[in-house]
Coordinates of all heavy atoms in Angstrom, one line a residue:
V1 N 0.3 4.8 7.9 CA 0.1 6.2 7.7 C 1.1 7.1 8.5 O 1.4 6.8 9.6 CB -1.4 6.6 8.2 CG1 -1.6 8.0 8.0 CG2 -2.4 5.8 7.5
S2 N 1.6 8.1 7.8 CA 2.6 9.0 8.4 C 2.3 10.4 7.8 O 2.1 10.7 6.7 CB 4.0 8.6 8.0 OG 4.9 9.4 8.6
F3 N 2.3 11.4 8.8 CA 2.3 12.8 8.4 C 3.7 13.4 8.5 O 4.5 13.0 9.2 CB 1.3 13.6 9.4 CG -0.1 13.4 9.2 CD1 -0.8 12.3 9.7 CD2 -0.9 14.2 8.4 CE1 -2.1 12.1 9.6 CE2 -2.1 14.0 8.1 CZ -2.8 13.0 8.7
S4 N 3.9 14.3 7.5 CA 5.2 15.0 7.4 C 5.4 15.9 8.6 O 4.3 16.3 9.2 CB 5.3 15.8 6.1 OG 4.3 16.9 6.1
P5 N 6.5 16.2 9.1 CA 6.9 17.0 10.2 C 6.2 18.4 10.1 O 5.8 18.9 11.1 CB 8.4 17.1 10.2 CG 8.9 16.0 9.5 CD 7.9 15.7 8.5
D6 N 6.0 18.9 8.9 CA 5.3 20.2 8.7 C 3.8 20.0 8.5 O 3.1 21.0 8.4 CB 5.9 21.1 7.6 CG 5.7 20.3 6.2 OD1 5.1 19.2 6.1 OD2 6.4 20.8 5.2
S7 N 3.2 18.8 8.7 CA 1.9 18.4 8.5 C 1.3 18.8 7.3 O 0.0 18.9 7.1 CB 1.1 19.2 9.7 OG 1.5 18.7 10.9
Q8 N 2.0 19.0 6.1 CA 1.7 19.3 4.9 C 1.3 18.1 3.9 O 0.4 18.1 3.1 CB 2.7 20.3 4.1 CG 2.9 21.6 4.7 CD 1.7 22.4 4.8 OE1 1.1 22.6 3.8 NE2 1.3 22.9 5.9
L9 N 1.9 17.0 4.3 CA 1.7 15.8 3.4 C 1.4 14.6 4.3 O 1.7 14.6 5.6 CB 3.2 15.5 2.8 CG 3.7 16.5 1.8 CD1 5.0 16.0 1.4 CD2 2.9 16.6 0.7
V10 N 0.7 13.6 3.7 CA 0.4 12.4 4.4 C 0.8 11.3 3.5 O 0.5 11.3 2.2 CB -1.1 12.3 4.8 CG1 -2.1 12.4 3.6 CG2 -1.4 11.2 5.6
A11 N 1.4 10.2 4.0 CA 1.9 9.0 3.2 C 1.3 7.7 3.7 O 1.2 7.6 4.9 CB 3.4 9.0 3.3
V12 N 1.0 6.9 2.8 CA 0.5 5.6 3.1 C 1.2 4.6 2.4 O 1.3 4.7 1.2 CB -1.1 5.5 2.8 CG1 -1.7 4.1 3.2 CG2 -1.8 6.6 3.6
A13 N 1.6 3.6 3.0 CA 2.3 2.3 2.4 C 1.2 1.3 2.2 O 0.7 0.8 3.2 CB 3.5 1.9 3.1
F14 N 0.9 0.9 1.1 CA 0.0 -0.2 0.7 C 0.8 -1.3 0.4 O 1.1 -1.6 -0.7 CB -0.9 0.2 -0.5 CG -1.9 1.4 -0.3 CD1 -1.5 2.7 -0.5 CD2 -3.2 1.3 0.4 CE1 -2.2 3.8 -0.4 CE2 -4.0 2.3 0.5 CZ -3.5 3.6 0.2
F15 N 1.2 -2.2 1.4 CA 2.1 -3.2 1.3 C 1.5 -4.3 0.4 O 2.2 -5.0 -0.3 CB 2.6 -3.8 2.6 CG 1.5 -4.4 3.5 CD1 1.5 -5.8 3.4 CD2 0.8 -3.8 4.2 CE1 0.5 -6.5 4.2 CE2 -0.1 -4.3 5.1 CZ -0.4 -5.8 5.0
D16 N 0.2 -4.4 0.4 CA -0.4 -5.6 -0.3 C -0.4 -5.2 -1.9 O -0.3 -6.1 -2.6 CB -1.9 -5.8 0.1 CG -2.8 -4.6 0.1 OD1 -2.2 -3.4 0.2 OD2 -3.9 -4.7 -0.1
L17 N -0.4 -3.9 -2.2 CA -0.2 -3.5 -3.5 C 1.3 -3.2 -4.0 O 1.5 -3.0 -5.2 CB -1.1 -2.4 -3.9 CG -2.5 -2.5 -3.5 CD1 -3.3 -1.1 -3.7 CD2 -3.2 -3.6 -4.4
G18 N 2.1 -3.0 -3.0 CA 3.4 -2.6 -3.3 C 3.5 -1.2 -3.7 O 4.4 -0.8 -4.5
L19 N 2.7 -0.3 -3.0 CA 2.7 1.1 -3.5 C 2.8 2.1 -2.2 O 2.3 1.6 -1.1 CB 1.3 1.4 -4.1 CG 1.1 0.8 -5.5 CD1 -0.4 1.2 -5.9 CD2 2.0 1.3 -6.4
L20 N 3.4 3.1 -2.4 CA 3.4 4.3 -1.6 C 2.7 5.4 -2.1 O 3.1 5.7 -3.3 CB 4.9 4.5 -1.3 CG 5.1 5.8 -0.4 CD1 4.6 5.6 1.1 CD2 6.5 6.4 -0.4
R21 N 1.8 6.0 -1.5 CA 1.1 7.1 -2.0 C 1.2 8.2 -1.1 O 1.1 8.1 0.3 CB -0.3 6.9 -2.4 CG -0.5 5.8 -3.4 CD -1.9 5.4 -3.8 NE -2.5 6.5 -4.4 CZ -3.8 6.6 -4.6 NH1 -4.7 5.6 -4.2 NH2 -4.3 7.6 -5.3
V22 N 1.5 9.4 -1.6 CA 1.6 10.7 -0.8 C 0.6 11.7 -1.2 O 0.6 12.0 -2.5 CB 3.0 11.2 -0.9 CG1 3.2 12.4 0.0 CG2 4.1 10.1 -0.5
W23 N -0.1 12.3 -0.3 CA -1.1 13.4 -0.7 C -0.8 14.7 0.0 O -0.1 14.7 1.1 CB -2.4 13.0 -0.3 CG -3.1 11.7 -1.0 CD1 -3.8 11.7 -2.1 CD2 -3.1 10.3 -0.6 NE1 -4.2 10.6 -2.5 CE2 -3.6 9.6 -1.6 CE3 -2.4 9.7 0.5 CZ2 -3.8 8.3 -1.5 CZ3 -2.6 8.3 0.6 CH2 -3.3 7.7 -0.4
N24 N -1.2 15.7 -0.5 CA -1.2 17.0 0.1 C -2.4 16.9 1.3 O -3.5 16.7 0.9 CB -1.6 18.1 -0.8 CG -1.6 19.5 -0.2 OD1 -2.3 19.8 0.8 ND2 -0.8 20.3 -0.8
A25 N -2.0 17.1 2.5 CA -2.9 16.9 3.5 C -4.1 18.0 3.5 O -5.1 17.8 4.1 CB -2.2 17.0 4.9
K26 N -3.8 19.2 3.1 CA -4.7 20.3 3.0 C -5.9 20.1 1.9 O -7.0 20.2 2.2 CB -4.0 21.6 2.9 CG -4.8 22.7 3.1 CD -4.0 24.1 3.1 CE -4.9 25.3 3.5 NZ -4.1 26.5 3.6
D27 N -5.4 19.8 0.7 CA -6.4 19.8 -0.3 C -6.6 18.4 -0.9 O -7.6 18.1 -1.7 CB -6.1 20.7 -1.5 CG -4.7 20.3 -2.1 OD1 -4.3 19.2 -2.1 OD2 -4.1 21.2 -2.9
G28 N -5.9 17.3 -0.4 CA -6.2 16.0 -0.9 C -5.6 15.7 -2.2 O -5.8 14.5 -2.6
N29 N -4.9 16.5 -2.8 CA -4.3 16.3 -4.1 C -3.1 15.3 -4.0 O -2.3 15.4 -3.1 CB -3.8 17.5 -5.0 CG -5.0 18.3 -5.4 OD1 -6.0 17.8 -5.7 ND2 -4.8 19.6 -5.4
E30 N -3.0 14.3 -4.8 CA -2.1 13.4 -4.8 C -0.7 13.9 -5.3 O -0.7 14.5 -6.4 CB -2.3 12.1 -5.6 CG -1.2 11.0 -5.4 CD -1.7 9.8 -6.1 OE1 -2.9 9.5 -6.4 OE2 -0.8 8.9 -6.3
K31 N 0.4 13.7 -4.5 CA 1.7 14.4 -4.9 C 2.5 13.4 -5.7 O 3.1 13.7 -6.7 CB 2.5 14.7 -3.6 CG 3.9 15.2 -3.9 CD 4.6 15.6 -2.6 CE 6.0 16.0 -2.8 NZ 6.2 17.2 -3.6
V32 N 2.5 12.1 -5.2 CA 3.4 11.1 -5.9 C 2.7 9.6 -5.5 O 2.3 9.5 -4.5 CB 4.8 11.2 -5.5 CG1 5.1 10.9 -4.1 CG2 5.7 10.4 -6.5
T33 N 3.0 8.6 -6.5 CA 2.8 7.3 -6.2 C 4.1 6.6 -6.5 O 4.6 6.8 -7.6 CB 1.7 6.6 -7.0 OG1 0.4 7.2 -6.6 CG2 1.5 5.1 -6.8
I34 N 4.6 5.7 -5.6 CA 5.8 5.1 -5.9 C 5.7 3.6 -5.6 O 5.1 3.2 -4.7 CB 7.0 5.6 -4.8 CG1 7.0 7.1 -5.0 CG2 8.2 4.8 -5.0 CD1 8.0 7.7 -4.0
R35 N 6.3 2.8 -6.6 CA 6.2 1.4 -6.4 C 7.3 1.0 -5.4 O 8.5 1.2 -5.8 CB 6.4 0.7 -7.9 CG 6.3 -0.9 -7.8 CD 5.8 -1.5 -9.0 NE 4.5 -1.1 -9.6 CZ 3.4 -1.3 -9.3 NH1 3.2 -2.0 -8.1 NH2 2.3 -0.8 -9.8
I36 N 6.9 0.3 -4.3 CA 7.8 0.0 -3.3 C 7.7 -1.5 -3.2 O 7.0 -2.1 -3.9 CB 7.5 0.7 -1.9 CG1 6.1 0.3 -1.4 CG2 7.6 2.1 -2.1 CD1 5.6 0.7 -0.1
G37 N 8.5 -2.1 -2.3 CA 8.5 -3.5 -2.0 C 7.2 -4.0 -1.6 O 6.5 -3.3 -0.7
K38 N 6.7 -5.1 -1.9 CA 5.3 -5.6 -1.6 C 5.3 -5.9 0.0 O 4.1 -6.2 0.6 CB 4.9 -6.9 -2.4 CG 4.4 -6.4 -3.7 CD 3.4 -7.5 -4.1 CE 2.7 -7.0 -5.4 NZ 1.6 -7.7 -5.6
K39 N 6.3 -5.9 0.7 CA 6.3 -6.2 2.0 C 6.7 -4.9 2.9 O 6.9 -5.1 4.1 CB 7.3 -7.5 2.4 CG 6.7 -8.7 1.8 CD 7.4 -9.9 2.2 CE 6.8 -11.1 1.6 NZ 7.5 -12.4 2.0
D40 N 7.0 -3.9 2.2 CA 7.3 -2.6 3.1 C 5.9 -2.2 3.7 O 4.9 -1.9 3.1 CB 7.6 -1.5 2.0 CG 9.1 -1.8 1.6 OD1 9.6 -2.9 1.7 OD2 9.7 -0.8 0.9
D41 N 6.0 -2.3 5.0 CA 4.6 -2.0 5.7 C 4.7 -0.9 6.6 O 3.7 -0.5 7.3 CB 4.3 -3.3 6.6 CG 5.4 -3.8 7.5 OD1 6.6 -3.2 7.4 OD2 5.1 -4.4 8.5
R42 N 5.8 -0.1 6.7 CA 5.8 1.1 7.4 C 6.5 2.2 6.6 O 7.3 2.1 5.8 CB 6.7 0.9 8.8 CG 6.1 -0.2 9.6 CD 6.8 -0.3 10.9 NE 6.4 -1.3 11.8 CZ 6.8 -2.6 11.8 NH1 8.0 -2.9 11.2 NH2 6.1 -3.4 12.7
V43 N 6.0 3.4 7.0 CA 6.5 4.6 6.2 C 6.8 5.7 7.2 O 6.0 5.9 8.2 CB 5.7 5.1 5.1 CG1 4.2 5.6 5.6 CG2 6.3 6.3 4.3
Y44 N 8.0 6.4 7.1 CA 8.4 7.5 8.0 C 8.9 8.7 7.1 O 9.6 8.5 6.3 CB 9.4 7.1 8.9 CG 9.1 5.8 9.7 CD1 9.6 4.5 9.1 CD2 8.5 5.8 10.9 CE1 9.3 3.4 9.8 CE2 8.2 4.7 11.5 CZ 8.6 3.4 11.1 OH 8.3 2.2 11.7
F45 N 8.5 9.8 7.4 CA 9.0 11.0 6.7 C 10.4 11.4 7.3 O 10.7 11.3 8.4 CB 8.1 12.2 6.9 CG 7.0 12.3 5.9 CD1 5.8 11.7 6.2 CD2 7.2 13.0 4.7 CE1 4.7 11.8 5.1 CE2 6.2 13.0 3.7 CZ 5.0 12.4 4.0
W46 N 11.2 11.9 6.4 CA 12.5 12.5 6.7 C 12.2 13.8 7.3 O 11.2 14.5 7.0 CB 13.3 12.7 5.5 CG 14.7 12.4 5.6 CD1 15.8 13.2 5.5 CD2 15.3 11.1 5.7 NE1 17.0 12.6 5.6 CE2 16.7 11.3 5.8 CE3 14.7 9.8 5.9 CZ2 17.5 10.2 6.0 CZ3 15.6 8.7 6.0 CH2 16.9 8.9 5.9
P47 N 13.0 14.5 8.2 CA 12.6 15.7 8.8 C 12.5 16.9 7.8 O 11.6 17.9 8.1 CB 13.9 16.1 9.6 CG 14.5 14.7 10.0 CD 14.1 13.9 8.8
D48 N 13.1 16.8 6.6 CA 12.9 17.9 5.6 C 11.6 17.7 4.7 O 11.4 18.5 3.9 CB 14.2 17.9 4.7 CG 14.3 16.7 3.9 OD1 13.5 15.8 3.8 OD2 15.3 16.8 3.3
S49 N 10.9 16.5 4.9 CA 9.5 16.2 4.2 C 9.8 16.0 2.8 O 8.9 16.0 2.0 CB 8.5 17.4 4.4 OG 8.3 17.5 5.8
K50 N 11.1 15.9 2.3 CA 11.5 15.6 0.9 C 11.7 14.1 0.7 O 11.8 13.8 -0.6 CB 12.6 16.5 0.5 CG 12.3 18.0 0.5 CD 13.6 18.8 0.1 CE 13.1 20.3 0.1 NZ 14.4 21.1 -0.2
R51 N 11.8 13.5 1.6 CA 12.1 11.9 1.5 C 11.4 11.2 2.5 O 10.8 11.8 3.5 CB 13.6 11.7 1.7 CG 14.5 12.2 0.7 CD 15.9 12.2 1.0 NE 16.1 13.4 1.9 CZ 17.3 13.7 2.3 NH1 18.5 13.1 2.0 NH2 17.4 14.7 3.2
V52 N 11.2 9.9 2.3 CA 10.5 9.0 3.2 C 11.3 7.8 3.3 O 12.0 7.4 2.3 CB 9.0 8.8 2.8 CG1 8.1 9.9 2.8 CG2 8.9 8.0 1.5
A53 N 11.2 7.0 4.4 CA 11.8 5.8 4.6 C 10.7 4.8 4.7 O 9.7 5.1 5.4 CB 12.7 5.8 5.9
T54 N 10.8 3.6 3.9 CA 10.0 2.6 4.2 C 10.7 1.4 4.9 O 11.9 1.3 4.8 CB 9.3 2.1 2.9 OG1 10.3 1.7 1.9 CG2 8.4 3.2 2.2
N55 N 10.0 0.5 5.6 CA 10.5 -0.5 6.3 C 9.7 -1.9 6.1 O 8.6 -1.8 6.0 CB 10.4 -0.2 7.8 CG 10.9 -1.5 8.7 OD1 10.0 -2.1 9.1 ND2 12.1 -1.6 8.9
S56 N 10.5 -2.9 5.9 CA 9.8 -4.2 5.7 C 10.4 -5.1 6.8 O 11.5 -5.4 7.0 CB 10.3 -4.9 4.3 OG 9.8 -6.3 4.4
S57 N 9.5 -5.2 7.9 CA 10.0 -6.0 9.0 C 10.2 -7.4 8.8 O 10.9 -8.1 9.4 CB 8.9 -5.8 10.1 OG 7.6 -6.1 9.8
W58 N 9.5 -8.0 7.6 CA 9.4 -9.3 7.3 C 10.9 -9.6 6.6 O 11.5 -10.6 6.8 CB 8.4 -9.7 6.3 CG 7.0 -9.8 7.0 CD1 6.7 -10.5 8.1 CD2 5.9 -8.9 6.6 NE1 5.4 -10.2 8.5 CE2 5.0 -9.2 7.6 CE3 5.8 -8.0 5.7 CZ2 3.7 -8.7 7.4 CZ3 4.5 -7.4 5.6 CH2 3.5 -7.8 6.5
E59 N 11.2 -8.7 5.7 CA 12.4 -8.9 4.9 C 13.7 -8.2 5.5 O 14.8 -8.4 5.2 CB 12.3 -8.3 3.5 CG 11.3 -9.0 2.6 CD 11.0 -8.4 1.4 OE1 11.1 -7.1 1.3 OE2 10.8 -9.2 0.3
K60 N 13.5 -7.4 6.6 CA 14.5 -6.7 7.3 C 15.3 -5.8 6.3 O 16.5 -5.8 6.2 CB 15.4 -7.6 8.0 CG 14.8 -8.4 9.1 CD 15.8 -9.1 10.0 CE 15.1 -10.0 11.0 NZ 13.8 -9.9 11.5
I61 N 14.5 -5.0 5.6 CA 15.0 -4.1 4.6 C 14.3 -2.7 4.9 O 13.2 -2.5 5.1 CB 14.7 -4.4 3.2 CG1 15.4 -5.9 2.7 CG2 15.1 -3.4 2.2 CD1 14.9 -6.4 1.4
N62 N 15.3 -1.6 4.9 CA 14.7 -0.3 4.9 C 15.2 0.4 3.7 O 16.3 0.1 3.1 CB 15.5 0.4 6.1 CG 15.0 -0.2 7.5 OD1 13.9 -0.1 7.8 ND2 15.9 -0.8 8.1
R63 N 14.3 1.3 3.0 CA 14.6 2.1 1.9 C 14.3 3.4 2.1 O 13.5 3.9 2.8 CB 13.8 1.4 0.6 CG 14.0 0.1 0.3 CD 13.0 -0.4 -0.8 NE 13.3 -1.9 -1.2 CZ 12.6 -2.8 -0.5 NH1 11.8 -2.7 0.3 NH2 13.0 -4.1 -1.0
I64 N 15.1 4.3 1.5 CA 14.8 5.8 1.5 C 14.5 6.2 0.0 O 15.1 5.8 -0.9 CB 16.2 6.6 2.0 CG1 16.4 6.0 3.3 CG2 15.8 8.0 1.9 CD1 17.9 6.7 3.9
W65 N 13.3 6.9 0.0 CA 12.8 7.4 -1.3 C 12.8 8.9 -1.4 O 12.5 9.6 -0.4 CB 11.3 6.8 -1.3 CG 11.2 5.4 -1.1 CD1 11.1 4.7 -0.1 CD2 11.3 4.4 -2.3 NE1 10.9 3.4 -0.3 CE2 11.1 3.1 -1.6 CE3 11.4 4.6 -3.6 CZ2 11.0 2.0 -2.4 CZ3 11.4 3.3 -4.4 CH2 11.2 2.1 -3.7
D66 N 13.1 9.3 -2.6 CA 13.1 10.8 -3.0 C 11.6 11.1 -3.4 O 11.2 10.4 -4.3 CB 14.1 11.1 -3.9 CG 14.1 12.6 -4.3 OD1 13.1 13.1 -4.8 OD2 15.2 13.2 -4.1
L67 N 10.8 12.0 -2.7 CA 9.6 12.2 -3.1 C 9.4 13.1 -4.5 O 8.4 13.0 -5.1 CB 8.9 12.9 -2.1 CG 8.6 12.1 -0.8 CD1 7.8 12.8 0.2 CD2 7.7 10.8 -1.1
E68 N 10.4 13.8 -4.9 CA 10.4 14.5 -6.1 C 10.6 13.6 -7.4 O 9.9 13.7 -8.4 CB 11.3 15.6 -6.1 CG 11.1 16.7 -5.1 CD 9.8 17.4 -5.4 OE1 9.5 17.8 -6.5 OE2 9.1 17.6 -4.4
T69 N 11.5 12.7 -7.2 CA 11.8 11.8 -8.4 C 11.2 10.4 -8.3 O 11.1 9.7 -9.2 CB 13.4 11.6 -8.5 OG1 13.8 10.8 -7.3 CG2 14.1 12.8 -8.6
G70 N 10.7 10.1 -7.1 CA 10.2 8.7 -6.9 C 11.1 7.7 -6.9 O 10.9 6.4 -6.8
E71 N 12.4 7.9 -6.9 CA 13.5 7.0 -6.9 C 13.9 6.5 -5.4 O 13.9 7.3 -4.5 CB 14.8 7.5 -7.5 CG 14.5 7.7 -9.1 CD 15.7 8.2 -9.7 OE1 16.9 8.0 -9.3 OE2 15.5 8.9 -10.9
C72 N 14.3 5.3 -5.4 CA 14.9 4.7 -4.1 C 16.4 5.2 -4.2 O 17.2 4.9 -5.1 CB 14.9 3.1 -4.2 SG 15.6 2.5 -2.7
I73 N 16.8 6.0 -3.1 CA 18.1 6.5 -3.2 C 19.1 5.8 -2.3 O 20.2 6.0 -2.4 CB 18.1 8.0 -2.8 CG1 17.4 8.3 -1.4 CG2 17.5 8.8 -3.9 CD1 17.4 9.7 -0.9
R74 N 18.5 4.9 -1.4 CA 19.3 4.1 -0.5 C 18.7 2.9 0.0 O 17.3 3.0 0.3 CB 19.9 4.9 0.7 CG 20.9 4.3 1.6 CD 22.2 4.9 1.3 NE 23.2 4.1 2.0 CZ 24.1 4.5 2.9 NH1 24.1 5.7 3.4 NH2 25.0 3.8 3.4
T75 N 19.3 1.7 0.2 CA 18.7 0.6 0.6 C 19.5 0.0 1.8 O 20.8 -0.1 1.5 CB 18.5 -0.5 -0.4 OG1 17.6 0.0 -1.4 CG2 17.9 -1.8 0.2
F76 N 19.0 -0.4 2.9 CA 19.7 -1.0 4.1 C 19.2 -2.3 4.3 O 18.0 -2.5 4.5 CB 19.5 -0.1 5.3 CG 20.0 1.3 5.2 CD1 19.1 2.3 4.9 CD2 21.4 1.7 5.5 CE1 19.6 3.7 4.7 CE2 21.7 3.0 5.3 CZ 20.9 4.0 4.9
E77 N 20.0 -3.3 4.2 CA 19.4 -4.7 4.5 C 19.9 -5.3 5.8 O 21.1 -4.9 6.3 CB 19.9 -5.5 3.3 CG 19.3 -5.2 1.9 CD 19.6 -6.2 0.8 OE1 19.6 -7.5 1.1 OE2 19.7 -5.7 -0.3
G78 N 19.1 -6.1 6.3 CA 19.5 -6.7 7.7 C 19.2 -5.8 8.9 O 19.8 -6.1 9.9
H79 N 18.4 -4.9 8.7 CA 18.1 -3.9 9.9 C 16.6 -4.1 10.3 O 15.8 -4.4 9.6 CB 18.4 -2.5 9.5 CG 19.8 -2.2 9.1 ND1 20.7 -1.9 10.0 CD2 20.2 -2.0 7.9 CE1 21.9 -1.7 9.3 NE2 21.6 -1.8 8.2

């Protein structure tokens, strides 16, 4: 679970389902659901709250996701 720096959004990585879900923290409305890696077990907001990073400690892969498009915009392997 991660809250955005402005406390407006909350994100949860469901690694068992391979999903990242982001909600509006104030009203509970879902902003986006993104299919992520099944072993991505951590999520961190970017300072601008427009992107998140997910991390798979098992696979040693980090991914950056755009919350508007739902697309993976960068992958870092071996970290």
Side-chain angles (χ1 to χ4, degrees):
V1 176
S2 180
F3 282 88
S4 62
D6 61 6
S7 299
Q8 298 297 309
L9 302 171
V10 61
V12 178
F14 295 93
F15 69 93
D16 55 335
L17 300 174
L19 295 175
L20 171 71
R21 296 181 70 190
V22 181
W23 293 273
N24 180 305
K26 189 172 186 177
D27 62 21
N29 288 327
E30 187 171 344
K31 177 177 175 63
V32 67
T33 295
I34 301 171
R35 184 154 307 279
I36 61 174
K38 279 214 171 189
K39 294 187 179 180
D40 287 14
D41 58 344
R42 295 184 183 105
V43 59
Y44 309 93
F45 272 93
W46 223 249
D48 65 7
S49 300
K50 295 179 181 180
R51 292 169 282 187
V52 294
T54 58
N55 169 263
S56 172
S57 55
W58 295 297
E59 296 177 323
K60 298 190 181 345
I61 296 175
N62 297 292
R63 297 175 180 92
I64 300 172
W65 303 89
D66 183 300
L67 293 180
E68 292 300 316
T69 65
E71 293 181 23
C72 180
I73 56 176
R74 186 111 191 236
T75 299
F76 301 92
E77 296 186 36
H79 298 280

